Amino acid sequence: MNAVSAPLALLAELTHRCPLSCAYCSNPLQLAQVASELDTESWARVFREAAELGCLQLHLSGGEPLLRRDLVPLVEAAVEAGLYTNLITAAVTLDAKRIAALREAGLDHVQISVQDAEAGRADAQAGFPGGHVRKLAAAALVREAGLPLTINAVVHRRNLPSLPGLIALAEAAGAERLEVAHVQYYGWALANRDALLPDRAMLDRATEQVEAARARLGGRMVIDYVVPDYHATRPKPCMGGWGRRFIVVNPAGRVLPCHAAESLPGLDFPNVRETSLAEAWMGSDAFNRFRGTGWMPAPCRGCALAEADWGGCRCQAYALTGEIDATDPACSLSPHHGVLADARAGAGDDAPLVHRAQAR
Ligand code: SF4
Ligand code: FES
């Protein structure tokens, strides 16, 4: 086994089922089907193994984790294992009874996604009539239950005009934190890139609005801001570096360094049905493939920023270049940097939008 440091957090994709069908979803095009989902005891074992491995945080995600009927026992198992638990939810099925049970089980934090500040537009984007009103009601229940709340707003070409309204929505909901995240182009979002990618003027306006809100809100509400790679000159250190900070387990038990890693060819990711989380994290060829800097080609090899961004994002590099070792084209030093300008030129208000399919 290699000497590697412990992951900080486990992202547990409990299911790919979801009542919504957002076009920006980063779930893979090949969704995990219900019959392949891990059962309660398997997840509980994964949580124990994550804690033993050194994980401190557990993000319960999906799809929609509330569609797991065993969510309360799963939270209990995670709490028993000593993990800090964060529920990442669309919240359209969250009612007072469920939030009370989750709180009783020891849930630490809730993150609710919203699609727009105005109900009609939000419901159209989510493909779920009446969903926005339900989300606001669920956010109120979370606060009434005394749980910390984050509002997550994924922003893109079609809802950026609503950004001031989204900030106001998070304030009114009493959120401690607002995450304004420009779409990251994986899975369904990549398929919808032309319809979702904002132009430079839109991005700059959004950045100004976020900075003004930060200055106005001071310590009252923290705003995290995730910028889009397609306007960048340096890549993000995706997931804090491959196999460095995060470990993802998908609904079928595959252990991944990021949610999109199954899109990469030639990598054999382990499954918790056959191996322990520790073996997957430390010993698997797939996790070791892009650890550190030894795998890097030029221009990353020898670059002063190699240990700052770890060569960017492997999944984005492959999606945009067809080479899994390539420098992320978000870097201006990449010989493929021009593909981002091509993508920006291809975006427009008239581009068709395909809503996410449903897992069965
Ligand atoms: Fe990062 Fe590679 Fe670009 Fe250097 S060349 S900034 S390591 S992506
Ligand atoms: Fe897979 Fe970035 S999403 S490495």
Side-chain angles (χ1 to χ4, degrees):
M1 283 191 187
N2 300 311
V4 292
S5 55
L8 169 71
L10 168 65
L11 180 66
E13 290 183 351
L14 297 181
T15 178
H16 278 164
R17 288 172 285 148
C18 186
L20 310 191
S21 52
C22 305
Y24 62 69
C25 183
S26 63
N27 280 167
L29 299 180
Q30 290 292 328
L31 296 162
Q33 301 302 311
V34 183
S36 71
E37 290 180 8
L38 293 179
D39 62 17
T40 314
E41 183 42 47
S42 299
W43 276 118
R45 172 175 61 83
V46 168
F47 299 161
R48 287 193 297 274
E49 290 180 355
E52 284 161 15
L53 188 53
C55 279
L56 301 174
Q57 302 168 4
L58 170 65
H59 302 285
L60 296 159
S61 164
E64 173 52 72
L66 288 170
L67 294 186
R68 289 282 304 218
R69 293 199 182 147
D70 55 357
L71 185 60
V72 169
L74 289 176
V75 169
E76 284 170 347
V79 171
E80 199 176 310
L83 296 167
Y84 176 91
T85 51
N86 175 30
L87 177 66
I88 299 175
T89 176
V92 293
T93 60
L94 188 59
D95 59 18
K97 197 170 158 203
R98 200 91 189 276
I99 197 67
L102 289 165
R103 181 172 181 252
E104 184 69 17
L107 183 69
D108 290 300
H109 183 273
V110 180
Q111 174 174 316
I112 294 179
S113 62
V114 290
Q115 280 67 34
D116 201 296
E118 191 274 320
R121 286 196 299 269
D123 292 349
Q125 285 182 49
F128 190 95
H132 187 74
V133 168
R134 291 195 194 195
K135 284 166 182 275
L136 297 185
L141 291 172
V142 169
R143 298 301 294 123
E144 282 163 30
L147 284 166
L149 172 69
T150 291
I151 294 290
N152 164 262
V154 175
V155 292
H156 48 78
R157 187 175 196 97
R158 299 199 176 199
N159 70 357
L160 272 172
S162 298
L163 180 53
L166 285 163
I167 295 168
L169 180 157
E171 279 183 81
E176 277 88 353
R177 185 170 154 264
L178 167 64
E179 184 176 80
V180 177
H182 284 270
V183 171
Q184 305 289 302
Y185 293 97
Y186 309 106
W188 294 88
L190 183 60
N192 284 305
R193 189 180 63 190
D194 288 351
L196 297 175
L197 187 60
D199 64 27
R200 183 83 221 181
M202 291 173 183
L203 169 60
D204 289 345
R205 199 174 316 121
T207 305
E208 282 168 21
Q209 288 167 344
V210 166
E211 282 169 3
R214 278 175 169 162
R216 177 174 61 80
L217 291 164
R220 268 190 297 137
M221 184 173 77
V222 173
I223 304 181
D224 290 339
Y225 187 49
V226 179
V227 295
D229 287 330
Y230 280 64
H231 289 275
T233 54
R234 288 291 177 269
K236 61 180 180 286
C238 193
M239 305 300 281
W242 179 277
R244 292 188 75 248
R245 312 286 303 280
F246 293 93
I247 189 163
V248 179
V249 177
N250 83 359
R254 298 287 291 283
V255 189
L256 307 167
C258 65
H259 51 279
E262 283 188 298
S263 65
L264 298 173
L267 297 179
D268 186 16
F269 291 105
N271 193 300
V272 293
R273 295 181 204 272
E274 288 131 26
T275 187
S276 72
L277 213 54
E279 283 164 8
W281 175 256
M282 292 188 276
S284 77
D285 291 343
F287 269 83
N288 287 324
R289 177 70 171 80
F290 297 113
R291 275 204 169 107
T293 57
W295 61 272
M296 291 181 176
C300 295
R301 184 175 288 266
C303 175
L305 295 177
E307 292 193 7
D309 63 37
W310 305 101
C313 173
R314 288 307 85 221
C315 302
Q316 181 158 275
Y318 175 69
L320 294 177
T321 72
E323 300 166 26
I324 64 172
D325 290 286
T327 292
D328 187 337
C331 180
S332 62
L333 302 173
S334 159
H336 299 288
H337 191 56
V339 300
L340 299 186
D342 296 343
R344 293 194 298 267
D349 295 339
D350 299 331
L353 201 64
V354 180
H355 282 264
R356 193 196 103 133
Q358 291 304 327
R360 305 268 173 230

